[in-house]
Amino acid sequence: MGGVRQKLLAGAVVLVAVALMATAAEGYISGKTWTAINRANRHGPFVGLVVPNTFEMVPVLNSPSFVASKTIPNLDVQGRRFRFGAIGGQNVVMVMTGLSMLNAGLATQMLLSLFRVKGIVHWGIAGNANEDLQIGDVTIPEYWAHLSLWNWQRYGDGKENELPLEAAGDYTREYGFLNFSDYTVGQGNPALAANELNSIWYQPEEIFPASGVPEERQHAFWVRASKRYYALAAKLEGMELPACVNGTTTCLPRAPRVVRVSRGCSGNVFLDNARYRQFLRTKFECTPIEMESAAVALVAYQQGVPFLTIRSLSDLAGGGSALGNEASTFISIAAQNAVDVMLKFVPLLKEQ
């Protein structure tokens, strides 16, 4: 009897070991999911659509321009839903990232790792740092930078002092700084003007391009959108866009327009401060300022995939009405304008 029990126990151990080996071989993504991914990729290559939030995605799903795939309308992988369809005959796969640089980077990397993606189009709303433009205008930047990676300098050091680990190449003073004392109220009194927060120095991202040597870092601050995509976007600059919030008499001073601009800036900050907005405009020439696009740009750049970002302006960051931020009033028209421009742009990629 004891021998039978030992054989049964040994058999159970073998079965568990085989199950563990199978799980390890498949990784976290199951074999069933990999099969579905491979089946979806038969319809590629796709244009990858990356959108931050539901209010920027739902107008696409409700648009007759988006035709959902009948074979695989969506596929859920590791907490992300990838939606398949076509826009103007161009096959697309769309993923919603959620708020922030981390979410945007993770979702974009998953998109590129799992599916046959030939290019990325990212869209959404943004704060505005360029007072020559207005709410509702749709901006298409040529360059993006991440502006919430800092080296925070100790009190007492100045711009002539080397930063910690600067000599090792970890940090740099190349891209400039923000000195908090410059924004102290009552600067006429030297005793009050000094600010112990001192300065933050803006830093480039460490990147590891697929075309480079693994574990040999490079650095990137301004990341350029695809030259071809940016040139194609010129065809959108005459688009007609609505000036009034749908179903209301709340209207903008003029009809919004599509504008290609030089620079957009991202950070893990919702910016509703006029002085910092003015600083970013003066220092970095930012127009849209938001929380995801630079992450999408950095991932696409490292993977060698062309990208373009379309951002509609929902508010003048820290400005406009004295009663509060305008985004809550104009978020619907800003989101819809970004969607309309994206829906016009994607079919242009099929013609190339």
Side-chain angles (χ1 to χ4, degrees), residues 239-259:
M239 276 186 67
E240 293 185 6
L241 298 169
C244 300
V245 177
N246 189 35
T248 74
T249 57
T250 303
C251 299
L252 298 164
R254 61 163 172 79
R257 56 177 181 253
V258 181
V259 185

Side-chain angles (χ1 to χ4, degrees), residues 81-343:
R81 174 160 292 176
F82 297 91
R83 301 173 185 269
F84 299 88
I87 297 173
Q90 171 63 62
N91 287 346
V92 298
V93 53
M94 176 166 54
V95 63
M96 190 194 80
T97 69
L99 186 74
S100 84
M101 295 282 288
L102 175 62
N103 276 321
L106 283 172
T108 303
Q109 184 61 66
M110 286 182 66
L111 177 72
L112 296 181
S113 295
L114 298 176
F115 302 106
R116 295 174 57 205
V117 173
K118 68 177 185 179
I120 289 176
V121 178
H122 174 55
W123 76 95
I125 66 169
N128 177 26
N130 182 350
E131 296 185 18
D132 292 334
L133 300 179
Q134 71 163 29
I135 291 171
D137 285 344
V138 179
T139 64
I140 303 176
E142 186 173 12
Y143 292 90
W144 282 94
H146 174 207
L147 298 184
S148 58
L149 182 60
W150 307 329
N151 185 308
W152 204 316
Q153 197 170 31
R154 71 168 57 194
Y155 180 65
D157 283 357
K159 60 184 179 181
E160 71 284 352
N161 296 110
E162 186 175 277
L163 299 174
L165 303 180
E166 183 178 350
D170 294 334
Y171 299 102
T172 179
R173 285 172 285 168
E174 178 180 353
Y175 299 101
F177 64 97
L178 168 68
N179 183 273
F180 289 95
S181 295
D182 293 342
Y183 297 90
T184 302
V185 176
Q187 289 192 45
N189 183 342
L192 298 176
N195 192 315
E196 291 187 357
L197 291 175
N198 201 14
S199 299
I200 54 172
W201 289 82
Y202 293 88
Q203 300 300 315
E205 290 276 1
E206 285 190 357
I207 62 170
F208 299 86
S211 60
V213 178
E215 299 181 355
E216 285 192 11
R217 70 180 177 184
Q218 300 179 29
H219 290 92
F221 192 79
W222 291 109
V223 180
R224 188 174 189 173
S226 161
K227 292 182 181 179
R228 183 168 69 87
Y229 286 15
Y230 188 72
L232 278 174
K235 296 183 178 182
L236 308 175
E237 291 185 319
M239 276 186 67
E240 293 185 6
L241 298 169
C244 300
V245 177
N246 189 35
T248 74
T249 57
T250 303
C251 299
L252 298 164
R254 61 163 172 79
R257 56 177 181 253
V258 181
V259 185
R260 292 187 304 163
V261 299
S262 175
R263 293 175 173 181
C265 301
S266 303
N268 280 318
V269 179
F270 183 93
L271 177 54
D272 193 29
N273 182 280
R275 292 296 282 148
Y276 192 55
R277 178 246 302 166
Q278 292 163 355
F279 168 82
L280 294 182
R281 177 64 184 167
T282 301
K283 178 69 177 176
F284 297 110
E285 300 180 9
C286 309
T287 293
I289 42 181
E290 41 77 274
M291 302 175 69
E292 293 88 20
S293 295
V296 176
L298 283 158
V299 172
Y301 175 70
Q302 291 181 81
Q303 300 302 321
V305 176
F307 78 93
L308 189 78
T309 291
I310 298 165
R311 286 282 182 166
S312 182
L313 306 177
S314 62
D315 62 283
L316 180 63
S321 172
L323 299 178
N325 187 280
E326 308 98 329
S328 59
T329 301
F330 295 103
I331 191 171
S332 61
I333 191 171
Q336 187 63 57
N337 285 355
V339 167
D340 289 347
V341 174
M342 182 276 290
L343 292 174

Side-chain angles (χ1 to χ4, degrees), residues 28-109:
Y28 184 74
I29 298 176
S30 70
K32 180 180 178 180
T33 300
W34 274 120
T35 298
I37 290 169
N38 291 331
R39 187 166 68 250
N41 276 324
R42 295 172 192 163
H43 302 282
F46 304 98
V47 170
L49 303 182
V50 180
V51 58
N53 293 295
T54 54
F55 63 83
E56 295 150 321
M57 178 179 68
V58 169
V60 179
L61 300 178
N62 292 338
S63 171
S65 297
F66 175 76
V67 180
S69 170
K70 294 181 179 179
T71 54
I72 306 179
N74 57 69
L75 178 59
D76 296 342
V77 185
Q78 294 182 331
R80 305 287 178 181
R81 174 160 292 176
F82 297 91
R83 301 173 185 269
F84 299 88
I87 297 173
Q90 171 63 62
N91 287 346
V92 298
V93 53
M94 176 166 54
V95 63
M96 190 194 80
T97 69
L99 186 74
S100 84
M101 295 282 288
L102 175 62
N103 276 321
L106 283 172
T108 303
Q109 184 61 66

